[in-house]
Amino acid sequence: MDDIAQATGLGKDSLYGAFGDKAKLFHRVFGDWCTTVVEVAEGQLTGGPDAEALARLSGYVHLMAENTASDTERRGCLLAKGAAELAQRDPTVAGRSAETMTALLTLLRTEIIAGQRHGDIDSAAEPERLAALLLTVVRGIEAVGKAGLDPETLRNIADTALAVLPMPGGRNAPQPGAVRPARTNLVPSRPHDPPDSAY
């Protein structure tokens, strides 16, 4: 609380008056982070013609890999850390985590269905399963990146996940590495920065 008071310029009494206690303050921060995670996904995955759905999926998966690769301090994602450490005993964190993952699944499933309509993804494949696979890959990249895997390996994981999406006629999707986003710093540079590129 001393660190938060110093960073905000507010006294502890003001912070406790606004949020009630440390747990409620954390829940507010965690909730805001989860909202930003979904907003980042919506920025990549919401809307657009069916013909661009596969490109939108590729852009999102690669963006998440780049976010992790750019996290050189290995601070990780508050959603991942909060869920892993607190969801078992904190119903608020558990509920907000599940809500966030469900929203991400819905966004991914919508784009997969759009790709199926356009003929880029096999229409016989189950969108829910493919969405769950991509979500697991995206969240798993964050975990193995925090554990120390090098950035190029993280990018290759993203490439491979997209390459195994089933195409019509039993073909595999082309290697999407050529459409990787630019390698820029996509994560907040300091712990107290707003999570504009939260992953």
Side-chain angles (χ1 to χ4, degrees), residues 110-180:
T110 298
E111 294 294 356
I112 288 166
I113 292 171
Q116 289 176 313
R117 281 195 302 263
H118 187 257
D120 290 326
I121 300 174
D122 188 352
S123 61
E126 295 185 30
E128 188 72 33
R129 290 188 176 191
L130 293 180
L133 172 65
L134 289 182
L135 179 60
T136 301
V137 168
V138 165
R139 303 314 304 179
I141 286 174
E142 188 275 333
V144 297
K146 194 170 188 299
L149 285 190
D150 64 275
E152 195 58 27
T153 298
L154 303 179
R155 296 177 183 116
N156 289 338
I157 292 169
D159 286 346
T160 302
L162 291 161
V164 300
L165 289 176
M167 295 183 67
R171 296 172 291 133
N172 286 335
Q175 290 290 338
V179 294
R180 288 178 179 173

Side-chain angles (χ1 to χ4, degrees), residues 11 30 39 44 46-47 131 149 152 162 194:
F30 186 77
E39 288 174 348
Q44 294 286 318
T46 301
L149 285 190
E152 195 58 27
L162 291 161

Side-chain angles (χ1 to χ4, degrees), residues 33-155:
W33 184 277
C34 290
T35 296
T36 302
V37 167
V38 175
E39 288 174 348
V40 168
E42 288 173 340
Q44 294 286 318
L45 300 174
T46 301
D50 289 355
E52 298 173 5
L54 187 58
R56 290 191 296 270
L57 284 168
S58 177
Y60 175 68
V61 173
H62 282 118
L63 176 64
M64 297 300 98
E66 287 300 323
N67 278 350
T68 302
S70 299
D71 184 15
T72 56
E73 297 177 11
R74 298 184 192 171
R75 289 183 288 118
C77 172
L78 184 60
L79 169 58
K81 293 193 290 188
E85 296 178 19
L86 298 173
Q88 186 176 10
R89 61 180 185 274
D90 187 324
T92 300
V93 170
R96 194 67 175 87
S97 299
E99 178 184 312
T100 302
M101 294 302 174
T102 299
L104 295 175
L105 272 175
T106 299
L107 290 167
L108 289 164
R109 183 177 62 243
T110 298
E111 294 294 356
I112 288 166
I113 292 171
Q116 289 176 313
R117 281 195 302 263
H118 187 257
D120 290 326
I121 300 174
D122 188 352
S123 61
E126 295 185 30
E128 188 72 33
R129 290 188 176 191
L130 293 180
L133 172 65
L134 289 182
L135 179 60
T136 301
V137 168
V138 165
R139 303 314 304 179
I141 286 174
E142 188 275 333
V144 297
K146 194 170 188 299
L149 285 190
D150 64 275
E152 195 58 27
T153 298
L154 303 179
R155 296 177 183 116

